[in-house]
Amino acid sequence: MKMHEPAHSAQSLQQSRPQPGVAVDGRRPRVVIVGAGFAGLTVATRLAKARVDITLIDRENHHLFQPLLYQVATAGLSPADIAWPIRGLVRHQRNTRVLLGAVTGIDRVRKRVVMGGRNVAYDILVLATGATHGYFGNDSWAVHAPGLKAIDDATEIRRRLLLAFERAEMESDARERQRLLTIVIVGGGPTGVEMAGAVVELAHSALADDFRAIDPTQTRVLLVEAGPRLLPSFPESLSCHAERALRRLGVDVRLGQAVTRCAATGVTLGDENVAADTMIWAAGVAASPAAEWLAVAGDRVGRVLVGVDLRPPGMDDVFVIGDTALANDVVGKPLPGIAPVAKQQGAYVAEVIQARLTGKVKPPPFRYRDRGLLATVGRKSAVIAFRRLRLKGWLAWWIWGIAHVYFLISLRNRLIVMMQWLWSYASFERGARLITGLHPIKAEHEPEHEPEPEPEPEPEPEPEAETEAETTRTRRRDNDAASPPLAAPSPSTD
């Protein structure tokens, strides 16, 4: 094996093409991947046999199949059905270690990823940190209308949904009961559409016979979209089909209306106040602080602008992929934030790194191969757009289900999800109707910390005792008491 010339620093990885398996400064190149979602995990697994040392960092210990997260929020699936421990997924990759923690910054000069008080050195950095909820400058709404990006979000929404029915069962006031049975979903994209269909079916089917004082079929579900139509990334014909399907299910679809206020008691749509107990946010996203870490300008939601090689301008050792990146297709249109885009970007970055390590020709610019757009609308309908193909209805729903089962990571989860769906389809049951988290009654009606009891006022002494004590103090102070006070004990005669 031919050894390369001594490297002055880790920059030799950028300035030269090492021969296969050649280390940098006497060691193997260090690849640090931040984020174990679709994009980051794809990079890690594609480099399983590469002669590099991989560090995979994530704030969670699990990889999540996010497209089915709404089914956890509506009690259709359990969290373990769509999530897997990251360490278990890479346990056989001897070149990979996993770190659980949050990244707080990047030192590009020293080539370090900062995790609080810990620094992780890199030669190649891959940022795949995903996105979070975006409230268009109204971040205070988050406490009233949680978004749906993580398992904790899904279980919190599930808790709020199920708890609303429990509280309505015990409510005697008709107006308050109706408020408890009103659910507002903000955002008419795929998440909002799928959530609206699942929520209305949860109320009208799965819970229909479970209560005695209320009728869950009278639950009011509003889907609010500020734009002129649902599913704006889909062809208009499929958007119209999705709207009609939701209306047939009983969803109150509001188009061209924006939320102007969100509070604990409901939302405001223009001049209309809608009293509601449960609000769910599916209207916008915000990227991670990656642009801030790299000291580059981001777009309006914080995404990092990358070139055709998925690198920010002037950064040969940094890749940004997935929802964190603003990447354009061949006609200059931004790529959607969906799983197929993230996975293809991850595969491309792994190929670029492999080519750099082995001295092969650099791959051509990244080009997304369209895998289509899919969204389900309830239990018997879906819409699919794949190039020029347009599908809707029952057949599209089956294709949607097969595709999602196929992309689940493990055979165990594929079987479990398939059996859960078949059972739910046949019986209208939702097996994961668990209220978890804080004690529901205490969480809704009591403060988080019980206030300390105020000290009880000392009882006022009897008037005679007070007068007697005052007399005693006065006589002692004047030092001329002629006789002991009345309450004083007599001198001992012993």
Side-chain angles (χ1 to χ4, degrees):
M1 181 181 297
K2 181 180 178 180
M3 299 298 292
H4 64 62
E5 296 178 359
H8 297 289
S9 67
Q11 292 178 350
S12 61
L13 188 63
Q14 309 163 25
Q15 298 170 348
S16 63
R17 288 181 176 176
Q19 298 300 315
V22 173
V24 178
D25 291 339
R27 55 168 173 74
R28 302 204 302 184
R30 299 163 298 190
V31 178
V32 175
I33 305 169
V34 183
F38 290 113
L41 188 63
T42 300
V43 177
T45 55
R46 291 295 183 97
L47 294 176
K49 297 182 180 180
R51 297 193 176 186
V52 294
D53 291 325
I54 302 172
T55 300
L56 184 56
I57 304 172
D58 201 283
R59 293 182 301 177
E60 308 288 349
N61 80 323
H62 54 266
H63 169 76
L64 176 66
F65 190 77
Q66 208 171 73
L68 292 180
L69 195 57
Y70 81 96
Q71 295 215 1
V72 176
T74 54
L77 295 173
S78 295
D81 297 339
I82 61 169
W84 306 264
I86 298 170
R87 294 186 184 277
L89 296 175
V90 297
R91 67 158 59 101
H92 299 300
Q93 295 186 205
R94 308 313 301 175
N95 65 345
T96 303
R97 67 168 179 165
V98 177
L99 297 181
L100 176 65
V103 171
T104 56
I106 295 172
D107 185 345
R108 291 198 57 240
V109 176
R110 298 175 57 231
K111 304 186 76 166
R112 300 286 189 272
V113 173
V114 182
M115 300 176 62
R118 179 191 183 102
N119 292 334
V120 181
Y122 69 84
D123 297 309
I124 297 177
L125 175 62
V126 181
L127 294 177
T129 45
T132 184
H133 327 296
Y135 291 87
F136 308 108
N138 300 288
D139 293 343
S140 61
W141 294 357
V143 67
H144 308 301
L148 189 60
K149 289 292 182 183
I151 285 179
D152 287 344
D153 300 329
T155 54
E156 171 62 17
I157 291 173
R158 183 183 67 186
R159 187 184 75 86
R160 295 189 184 198
L161 284 171
L162 298 178
L163 191 57
F165 290 98
E166 298 293 343
R167 293 175 59 195
E169 177 77 358
M170 299 183 291
E171 181 59 56
S172 58
D173 182 75
R175 180 174 298 180
E176 176 62 12
R177 180 183 293 176
Q178 184 57 55
R179 188 187 75 84
L180 291 168
L181 294 179
T182 299
I183 300 161
V184 178
I185 301 167
V186 184
T191 300
V193 168
E194 292 178 340
M195 177 68 75
V199 168
V200 75
E201 288 186 344
L202 171 69
H204 292 184
S205 299
L207 301 178
D209 299 326
D210 287 9
F211 295 88
R212 300 297 175 262
I214 63 172
D215 181 5
T217 63
Q218 299 303 308
T219 300
R220 184 186 182 196
V221 180
L222 279 77
L223 177 60
V224 181
E225 167 57 40
R229 64 185 178 95
L230 301 178
L231 301 175
S233 59
F234 284 66
E236 187 170 357
S237 61
L238 298 183
S239 296
C240 294
H241 174 81
E243 180 185 346
R244 291 193 299 269
L246 286 175
R247 292 188 187 279
R248 285 196 299 268
L249 290 174
V251 178
D252 184 357
V253 179
R254 303 292 188 92
L255 300 177
Q257 295 184 325
V259 175
T260 57
R261 184 189 69 91
C262 182
T265 56
V267 299
T268 300
L269 309 176
D271 297 330
E272 179 186 3
N273 292 322
V274 178
D277 183 67
T278 305
M279 286 79 70
I280 302 169
W281 192 263
V285 297
S288 70
E292 179 183 344
W293 296 341
L294 297 174
V296 298
D299 70 346
R300 62 183 181 85
V301 297
R303 294 177 297 181
V304 177
L305 178 63
V306 297
V308 293
D309 57 357
L310 303 180
R311 286 182 282 200
M315 300 185 192
D316 291 336
D317 56 348
V318 178
F319 295 89
V320 183
I321 56 179
D323 292 345
T324 313
L326 175 58
N328 297 323
D329 59 16
V330 292
V331 297
K333 183 179 178 181
L335 294 174
I338 56 179
V341 172
K343 296 179 74 170
Q344 290 185 34
Q345 288 179 337
Y348 176 82
V349 168
E351 185 180 359
V352 172
I353 295 174
Q354 284 274 32
R356 177 182 294 186
L357 295 173
T358 58
K360 293 182 179 180
V361 178
K362 179 182 176 181
F366 173 76
R367 182 171 181 174
Y368 172 60
R369 294 172 176 80
D370 186 12
R371 294 292 184 263
L373 299 171
L374 303 87
T376 182
V377 191
R379 57 183 275 110
K380 291 184 179 180
S381 184
V383 291
I384 296 176
F386 179 64
R387 299 176 184 174
R388 295 186 179 182
L389 178 64
R390 306 288 184 264
L391 289 177
K392 56 189 177 182
W394 182 81
L395 176 60
W397 183 80
W398 276 101
I399 295 175
W400 174 91
I402 293 171
H404 282 70
V405 169
Y406 172 79
F407 283 111
L408 291 171
I409 287 182
S410 70
L411 176 62
R412 168 190 173 275
N413 291 82
R414 291 172 187 157
L415 293 175
I416 288 176
V417 170
M418 187 167 58
M419 293 303 297
Q420 288 274 21
W421 283 351
L422 291 174
W423 175 255
S424 298
Y425 186 84
S427 66
F428 291 89
E429 286 287 339
R430 297 289 179 101
R433 301 197 326 250
L434 307 178
I435 300 177
T436 59
L438 298 176
H439 189 278
I441 303 301
K442 182 176 181 178
E444 297 292 334
H445 299 289
E446 297 180 11
E448 184 176 356
H449 300 288
E450 295 185 3
E452 296 182 1
E454 297 182 1
E456 297 182 1
E458 296 181 359
E460 296 184 0
E462 296 287 340
E464 295 78 11
E466 181 180 350
T467 303
E468 187 177 10
E470 289 292 337
T471 302
T472 301
R473 284 194 295 271
T474 302
R475 288 178 177 177
R476 290 178 177 175
R477 186 177 61 247
D478 294 342
N479 205 19
D480 60 349
S483 61
L486 295 177
S490 301
S492 176
T493 55
D494 292 341

